[in-house]
């Protein structure tokens, strides 16, 4: 059994890591830290863990050595913790935004604060199996991308060779309330958040830097909070260099993802679920990707959906762990989602 | 024009008072206080007031004299403010729980803290037009009942003469998230509160003291938070002294509420809305009441629904204002609700 | 009192017309037709009308003459009814898509069926007060635009003189379930529709023809069903001919809508409601419009929100009625929306 | 591998059976019938099965012999199919209401139609592992109880020896929209069903006969549809023969369910999830049970929550299968639920 710990385990991404790691057949979860809840049972914060574990939260300062440490801290907190944690684990998997961008200036530009550990940026391999599987197999530090970035990258990848050079790709993200975390602030109040179509980022959403870094496309991203707890969807508009027929696009998507265990191509002509729909992915590690051709302009509308806490975070991290350890990639990630829900 | 002020105007009941008073043709809203938001525009907190007013929140300490003052403070805060406010207004309408129970011991028993102004309890007339219309016409201090208490009292009133003496009446309340106020605590987080059936009071909900005080019935009350922002419903089970046929019950309900402008009897045999449903009352001052006979036991199931912020609070307060001023009782309360919603 | 009738009164737009007309001080609603529900009370279908009327649905074939007839029929059904109804009313207000597009070929192109009354298209004035107020004052036939078309046109209008000539404007619509009507089909089942982000039109949504017709812009429109019953929002991306600063844009928006009773400019830097949010407009006739500048590209993101059944349908129709009759434009449309909701 | 088939596989219970059986390591799903969708892929109706199977629906008439057949038909349809299906399978698991009540007169009384196969009633073992585990181990016909009946029985079982003889137990059920099935009728329309507190059974809900049959208690049951797709909760009020302290009750609950793999006792003093909450059970086979003492009356409020499609249907059926086959009882039922959701 591989010994793992979760630092920052009381948040939503942290809790999802706990759920997946407790159900993982090759892993022993031996520590879960939380400054605020130290000493309390994990299931006092995450009630879905009742009967799954008797573990209690521990102080992050007391973290022992572990084979793998998952870090689910907020932005800037992660930067401060990583130097120390790199010594505590053979492999560190960070789920914060702090080590996603290779260039510290881009980080400062998008997040408004300077990077305090720029010398460590090179050590991190992007935690996206679909684009970095080989590097992940031997990585000692992994940085899992943002949930909407993952969705957008997977939606756009098959189109990268087709995109009109220099043309602007627009990405429109929609996301549930768990994406803004466990903070009890007015932004997350049920009476305010319920039923919204809250365009919290009309342009320039931070994830666009990650999307550009991975795809090379010029991207502008907007994002809207909609009524959901889990779930994220991106709708991307991609001008092509030359007209493409649907059959060719379909072949490209299928070729790109044929061997991927967690990417499904969903692009049907009919049906309630003909394009990627997040709700049926709740709890699963799938990212569904699809597309439609805009007949009048020739542009492609590329779509992706995922559970922001799973393939958009904790599940993706576990998939990276499986690759790193040489285990079957789907280990512990078998839940396929529900219908109806 | 009658000059009115709202103290505690940044909360949800306070905001609803602002909405109704700004739309009231015989009232001039001249002050709305909030310690936290003093100096900011009302519509910065209540976006539905955009274009309805340019007023800003003022410090509660600076409150001038007004014809009528509405107090929408939290429990215990109201007790502390009332002695001073009684001098500031010809009529004070309190929407907190602090002056609802006539007996200070009952208050201490249900709320766990002693009453600090017991000598003032007698000055308050219960703000329930259906039971205290005459007294309200000359009241200088009004205490508006709790939202689920109002619903339960109106559901039960026609049955009081029929109830089996000494028998226990059970009241089961269901309520949306606005009922727990504007506080940004974990209990109100969207990701936690969304889609719940949260039995927050399995027995002994505080409103039962009010229901007993008004109806004389022995009541036990449970309450569950369900997915909704606005809306409250009570389902009461009433053992009768003798069997009653549906026709007799219907006649009693109709007789009881025939002349009431804001109580409708809804007790049909069929249809999606055959019994009181809160959602179609959103924004309206109606309390719908209905009943069904349990054929096997002879008990009556009495039901009521209302918008907890309107007939369950601010609307009821405005209805009391109308009575107090001798205006047509529906003035400013004309909105009848939406379908679908 | 002006005598009015609603044809097709059992649907959601029809029901909303009933609600508004019953509350309108200068109107007498004397007929509401429904083939399916003829003989039944209006409130058996629209429970929010309880105590508002004792009227029953009548057969559409028996419609008498009325001052104004509102037609809330489905597409193609409206085309078939209009020739006859034009003789029954001094003014006919159609809320279907059938008379929105001036060019029958564009209609056939977008809706897939030929227009059967092309000779009547010229008689209809677009029911959009903000762009056709003068013509509406004397119109005998009015065609109310689609809900998302109205939102998009109002969001885009101030930008028309600034838009880069020939550049593509993208419009992304999001809409609640009432937008797909009262039909009990699988698409509308609660268990399927709940919590969706259903991209039902990835490109080429039908409303784009209306938007182009009114604004002259080249538009591509996508649309997503999200979790809501009422409410529509559009997010438009507009490339400009030259860079514009926020202050100039704000001035243009304010100038454009200063005198409009039902358009509010909402474009703040902060706050949960800093850009147009449909939920606080539920039941109201406001269309909130706003914008943000994409600093990197110079494009403008224009946003609008409305209640699809009110300003996106029935309320807009009543506003047209008020103009046609020379009444104050806000008559009967005073409800300003709720917060929280 | 055990060969299984699902008859009536296009509904919500049927789809949930497919999901669980496809993920079950000891089962081969070889047929799924649907008259309406025969010839179409399973994932065309149940999109969560994409990549899980290439199976298509088959005609029910063509059903071959199987080791186990699950029948997910509607009421009365099941009665008509069972005689034939009993010959097709070594074990038949029926999820309809038709074989739940042992007495055909009680069936006729509660369902309003006579039972057409009363001679078969004795062959069915109730599909409730917690009360019939021994019989299930050799059963050839199993009848899975109703979702709210299962919840109520599990909530009440520890109290049966304590209940006041002859006293009435009230059961109040709350349930999501998937409980009324996949029928596209107005009752299930999103715009009508969204956000409801629909008291569809004020008294006399059909499940009360099952509860009485299993517990021996005199039960009256009401039920309300609330906003949720999945999830059911029951709140039961039980008068006791003598006062009981909380510690004794807790011991009884724990004793009763200590060895049960899918019943958890949840009865805490504090916390958002201190009593059973359905939403965190979505997709899981747990039934959480809890209780609270009403200090003033001595009655116990017993509560249970479950996913109506899993422990309330398909999951319970698979648990019965595991018992029948002598497999570990949790096989294929490992999903423990999500938080937040």
């Amino acid at each position: 059994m591989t010994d793992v710990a979760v630092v920052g385990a009381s948040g939503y991404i942290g809790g999802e890591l706990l759920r997946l790691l407790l159900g993982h057949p090759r892993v022993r979860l031996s520590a879960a830290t939380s400054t605020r809840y130290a000493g309390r049972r994990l299931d006092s914060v995450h009630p879905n863990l009742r009967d799954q574990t008797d573990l209690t939260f521990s102080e992050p300062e007391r973290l022992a050595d572990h084979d793998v440490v998952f870090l689910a801290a907020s932005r800037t907190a992660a930067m401060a913790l990583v130097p120390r944690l790199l010594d505590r684990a053979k492999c560190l998997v960070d789920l914060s935004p702090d080590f996603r961008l290779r260039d510290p200036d881009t980080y400062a530009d998008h997040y408004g604060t300077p990077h305090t550990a720029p010398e460590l940026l090179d050590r991190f391999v992007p935690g996206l199996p679909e684009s970095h599987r080989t590097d992940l197999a031997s990585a000692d530090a992994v940085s899992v991308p943002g949930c909407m970035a993952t969705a957008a990258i997977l939606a756009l990848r098959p189109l990268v060779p087709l995109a009109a050079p220099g043309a602007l790709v627009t990405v429109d993200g929609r996301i549930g309330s768990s994406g803004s975390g466990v903070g009890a602030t007015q932004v997350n109040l049920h009476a305010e958040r319920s039923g919204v179509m809250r365009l919290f980022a009309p342009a320039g959403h931070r994830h666009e830097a990650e999307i550009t870094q991975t795809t090379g496309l010029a991207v502008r991203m907007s994002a809207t909070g909609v009524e959901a707890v889990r779930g994220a969807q991106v709708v991307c508009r991609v001008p092509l260099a030359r007209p493409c027929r649907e059959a060719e696009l379909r072949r490209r998507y299928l070729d790109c993802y044929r061997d991927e265990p967690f990417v499904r191509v969903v692009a049907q002509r009919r049906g309630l679920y003909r394009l990627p729909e997040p709700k049926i992915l709740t709890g699963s590690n799938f990212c569904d990707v699809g597309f439609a051709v805009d007949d009048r302009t020739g542009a492609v509308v590329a779509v992706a959906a995922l559970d922001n806490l799973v393939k958009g975070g904790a599940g993706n991290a576990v998939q990276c762990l499986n690759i790193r350890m040489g285990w079957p990639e789907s280990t512990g990630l078998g839940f396929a989602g529900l219908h109806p829900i």
Side-chain angles (χ1 to χ4, degrees), chain A:
Chain A
M1 299 291 271
T2 294
D3 176 76
V4 307
V6 175
V7 173
S10 66
Y12 290 151
I13 288 279
E16 197 67 359
L17 281 165
L18 298 178
R19 173 179 81 84
L20 292 170
L21 294 169
L22 287 166
H24 196 292
R26 308 185 76 152
V27 153
R28 181 183 60 250
L29 176 73
S30 56
T33 81
S34 164
T35 302
R36 182 172 175 193
Y37 295 103
R40 292 178 55 180
R41 293 174 56 92
L42 300 192
D43 59 13
S44 71
V45 171
H46 305 296
N48 61 326
L49 302 185
R50 283 168 179 157
D51 269 21
Q52 314 298 302
T53 180
D54 288 317
L55 210 60
T56 55
F57 291 106
S58 54
E59 293 281 359
E61 289 73 24
R62 305 202 172 180
L63 192 74
D65 288 354
H66 298 276
D67 294 331
V68 182
V69 169
F70 294 87
L71 175 55
S74 59
R75 201 176 62 77
T76 71
M79 273 193 306
L81 287 164
V82 154
R84 188 160 60 86
L85 293 178
L86 283 170
D87 295 335
R88 283 267 164 276
K90 294 176 195 146
C91 181
L92 176 66
V93 182
D94 178 34
L95 291 101
S96 84
D98 285 350
F99 295 88
R100 291 176 186 160
L101 298 173
R102 280 191 294 270
D103 176 9
D105 293 342
T106 308
Y107 181 89
D109 192 31
H110 275 77
Y111 289 101
T113 49
H115 203 289
T116 61
E119 71 286 0
L120 297 178
L121 287 171
D122 280 349
R123 294 183 57 178
F124 282 82
V125 173
L128 193 61
E130 292 77 9
S131 58
H132 290 77
R133 189 171 276 111
T134 308
D135 290 346
L136 286 167
S138 59
D140 293 336
V142 174
S143 171
V144 177
C147 58
M148 289 192 286
T150 294
I153 291 166
L154 294 177
L156 293 171
R157 272 191 90 211
L159 302 178
V160 170
L162 302 176
L168 190 73
V169 171
T170 56
V171 175
D172 182 54
R174 302 92 185 267
I175 187 158
S177 62
S178 63
S180 54
V182 76
T185 55
Q186 204 204 2
V187 73
N188 286 331
L189 267 185
H190 182 271
E192 306 292 344
R193 181 64 174 73
S194 178
V196 292
M197 307 184 198
R198 187 187 289 167
L199 187 61
F200 66 88
H205 188 280
R206 288 162 168 185
H207 284 183
E208 71 187 28
E210 291 180 60
I211 303 167
T212 293
Q213 176 176 281
T214 302
T215 63
L217 299 169
V219 168
R220 289 308 277 165
M221 181 170 177
S222 54
T224 303
V226 297
E227 173 61 52
V229 171
R230 290 175 180 237
Q233 184 186 56
V234 294
V235 180
C236 316
R237 194 174 174 89
V238 187
L240 299 192
R242 58 168 178 81
C244 263
R245 300 178 58 178
E246 193 190 303
E248 178 183 349
L249 290 164
R250 188 175 304 275
R251 200 170 51 243
R252 283 185 172 273
Y253 271 86
L254 290 172
D255 287 351
C256 189
Y257 293 124
R258 180 157 290 124
D259 298 327
E260 286 299 335
F262 291 112
V263 183
R264 299 186 295 199
V265 179
V266 175
Q268 303 172 341
R269 288 178 185 278
R270 267 189 301 274
L272 302 184
Y273 299 93
R274 70 186 186 100
L275 287 168
E277 165 65 61
K279 77 168 185 159
I280 58 166
L281 304 178
T282 304
S284 98
N285 197 48
F286 285 114
C287 177
D288 285 351
V289 299
F291 64 90
V293 183
D294 180 348
D295 293 332
R296 299 202 188 181
T297 66
V300 174
V301 177
V303 189
L306 46 69
D307 181 328
N308 55 303
L309 298 181
V310 190
K311 184 63 178 172
N316 214 6
V318 171
Q319 191 181 351
C320 291
L321 170 75
N322 290 340
I323 293 170
R324 173 65 175 72
M325 296 297 157
W327 302 329
E329 205 164 317
S330 303
T331 312
L333 297 169
F335 183 69
L338 299 169
H339 171 258
I341 186 166

